[in-house]
C-alpha cells in the first residue's frame, strides 16, 4: 500500500515563500504521476500542480509563474516551491499519486489519483 506524507506547511506573510515536500513509501512505479491539491473548508478540492515520470508538468492558472513542482533524485519525492504567496493560497495542501498514469502531463482532477496524503496546512496572512 502506497503511503504519502506531506511536510513543509506553515504560516507566512503575503509575498513570502514556502516549500512543501511529499514522500511516497512503497512507490517504485515507472509511469506514474504525482500532484498537489489544496482545499479550503466548504469548497471543492482544487488541483494545483502535477508532474509525470518523464518530467512533464501542469499547473493551475491561479499558480502559474508562482509555484514550481519538482522531484528529487529519489523519484518517490515530490516538492512544491511556492513563491509570492497570496492570502487566497491559504488551504490544506495534499499530495496525490497515480502509479499508472496514462494522461501526461497529468490532469489536475482528483478522480485521476488513487493515493492521498493527510495534508499540510498553509496559511498566508495579508
Amino acid at each position: 500500500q502506497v503511503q504519502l506524507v506531506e511536510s513543509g506547511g506553515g504560516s507566512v506573510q503575503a509575498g513570502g515563500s514556502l516549500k512543501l515536500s511529499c514522500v511516497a513509501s512503497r512507490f517504485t512505479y515507472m509511469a506514474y504521476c504525482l500532484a498537489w491539491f489544496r482545499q479550503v473548508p466548504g469548497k471543492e478540492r482544487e488541483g494545483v500542480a502535477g508532474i509525470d515520470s518523464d518530467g512533464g508538468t501542469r499547473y493551475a492558472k491561479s499558480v502559474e509563474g508562482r509555484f514550481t513542482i519538482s522531484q528529487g533524485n529519489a523519484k518517490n519525492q515530490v516538492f512544491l516551491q511556492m513563491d509570492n504567496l497570496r492570502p487566497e493560497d491559504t488551504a490544506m495542501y495534499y499530495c496525490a499519486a497515480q502509479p499508472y498514469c496514462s494522461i501526461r502531463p497529468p490532469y489536475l482532477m482528483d478522480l485521476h489519483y488513487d493515493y492521498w496524503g493527510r495534508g499540510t496546512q498553509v496559511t498566508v496572512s495579508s
Side-chain angles (χ1 to χ4, degrees):
Q1 181 80 0
V2 174
Q3 291 187 331
L4 305 175
V5 179
E6 305 95 335
S7 62
S11 297
V12 65
Q13 288 193 326
S17 297
L18 284 173
K19 186 174 183 177
L20 305 184
S21 300
C22 173
V23 177
S25 61
R26 293 183 281 276
F27 195 76
T28 56
Y29 303 93
M30 300 299 292
Y32 59 83
C33 289
L34 295 164
W36 289 95
F37 286 75
R38 65 187 181 187
Q39 190 170 24
V40 175
K43 293 191 176 181
E44 291 187 357
R45 190 158 47 190
E46 173 191 19
V48 175
I51 188 167
D52 63 43
S53 49
D54 296 323
T57 58
R58 192 189 302 271
Y59 294 92
K61 293 291 184 185
S62 58
V63 306
E64 271 186 334
R66 300 188 299 121
F67 290 12
T68 304
I69 189 169
S70 64
Q71 287 201 269
N73 291 330
K75 295 302 182 182
N76 67 331
Q77 291 181 302
V78 61
F79 306 102
L80 186 67
Q81 177 67 43
M82 305 185 295
D83 298 318
N84 192 20
L85 282 160
R86 304 167 180 169
E88 53 264 38
D89 295 318
T90 296
M92 184 71 79
Y93 282 73
Y94 298 91
C95 178
Q98 170 52 258
Y100 305 102
C101 187
S102 60
I103 300 171
R104 309 161 79 81
Y107 282 165
L108 298 178
M109 296 175 64
D110 54 8
L111 59 87
H112 288 287
Y113 296 87
D114 290 342
Y115 299 100
W116 294 83
R118 292 190 173 187
T120 185
Q121 177 67 36
V122 171
T123 303
V124 184
S125 58
S126 57

